[in-house]
Amino acid sequence: KLNAQRKSQNLRVNFSLRKEIFFVTLGSLLGAFTMFVPRIVLDLTVGTQYYIVWLVFAKVVNSSSPTTGAVIHFFVATIIGIITGIILYKGNFLNISKISNGLLYGAIAGIVVFLVFFIPVHQFLLAPNMVQVISELDPDMTIIEAEELVEAGYVNTVIDSIGTHLIWGITVGIIASLLTRELGANYRCNIC
């Protein structure tokens, strides 16, 4: 009887998988914007050149527009948000209607996306194509010099990416948690 009471305390009322996944996806899109705020600040203050990454993304679809690369980035963020939302709600391992759980979920999601998505994409897509894009942007630079430049910046790229992916994840967690609390599933407590 005690187990039945505990289970009834956690029943979700007004739960909609579609709505809950939408919350995480919306958080992912907003996270895609917020994760690049530090990058833009660094581009403007320190002189880093993050737009080269968007040029590399654009190159994948035979474009030379950084806007195309940015659109690809936000499309990928949407797909990752949908997958992340499905995993969260199908796994049913964390109730993100609590802000602390939303933050925990966001931090875990940011690290997982960094490890599972960013590292392979950087190794097999970004780094090799970045060499070519850098040498095209600076015709005086040889391919070997561009390779050395990309290799020299690898550690900084990884550290920056951990930070930006944590910002993405925390944004996802906060947005999804707030929306779930206000508009999503409610929890029934029979004892209350």
Side-chain angles (χ1 to χ4, degrees):
K1 186 173 181 172
L2 186 57
N3 278 338
Q5 284 180 337
R6 284 185 188 155
K7 287 181 183 178
S8 70
Q9 289 177 356
N10 293 324
L11 291 176
R12 289 192 255 186
V13 180
N14 298 328
F15 177 76
S16 166
L17 180 64
R18 193 175 303 158
K19 185 175 18 173
E20 305 294 327
I21 290 172
F22 172 75
F23 296 156
V24 175
T25 303
L26 181 61
S28 183
L29 285 172
L30 293 173
F33 282 105
T34 59
M35 75 187 285
F36 290 105
V37 169
R39 295 294 331 155
I40 292 168
V41 169
L42 286 174
D43 282 359
L44 295 174
T45 59
V46 180
T48 59
Q49 299 174 333
Y50 188 77
Y51 73 93
I52 292 173
V53 172
W54 284 350
L55 288 172
V56 172
F57 282 142
K59 189 171 190 61
V60 170
V61 293
N62 293 326
S63 174
S64 60
S65 168
T67 304
T68 302
V71 168
I72 290 170
H73 172 256
F74 292 112
F75 175 75
V76 170
T78 303
I79 299 301
I80 289 173
I82 291 168
I83 292 168
T84 305
I86 291 171
I87 290 170
L88 173 69
Y89 289 104
K90 286 293 189 179
N92 200 24
F93 55 86
L94 193 60
N95 167 9
I96 65 164
S97 64
K98 290 173 54 179
I99 296 286
S100 60
N101 285 352
L103 287 171
L104 176 65
Y105 164 71
I108 291 169
I111 295 297
V112 168
V113 168
F114 169 77
L115 293 172
V116 172
F117 181 76
F118 173 78
I119 288 181
V121 166
H122 185 269
Q123 292 291 38
F124 299 112
L125 177 73
L126 290 178
N129 287 311
M130 195 172 289
V131 168
Q132 187 177 4
V133 168
I134 289 172
S135 63
E136 288 172 3
L137 290 173
D138 184 1
D140 295 334
M141 186 177 289
T142 66
I143 296 289
I144 293 172
E145 291 171 330
E147 285 176 353
E148 289 171 354
L149 184 66
V150 170
E151 287 175 15
Y154 180 75
V155 172
N156 287 338
T157 299
V158 169
I159 291 169
D160 290 347
S161 295
I162 290 170
T164 57
H165 283 88
L166 280 173
I167 290 169
W168 169 82
I170 289 170
T171 303
V172 168
I174 290 171
I175 298 294
S177 182
L178 290 173
L179 290 173
T180 297
R181 286 176 68 120
E182 298 300 319
L183 306 171
N186 299 314
Y187 291 82
R188 182 183 353 193
C189 173
N190 290 334
I191 295 172
C192 303

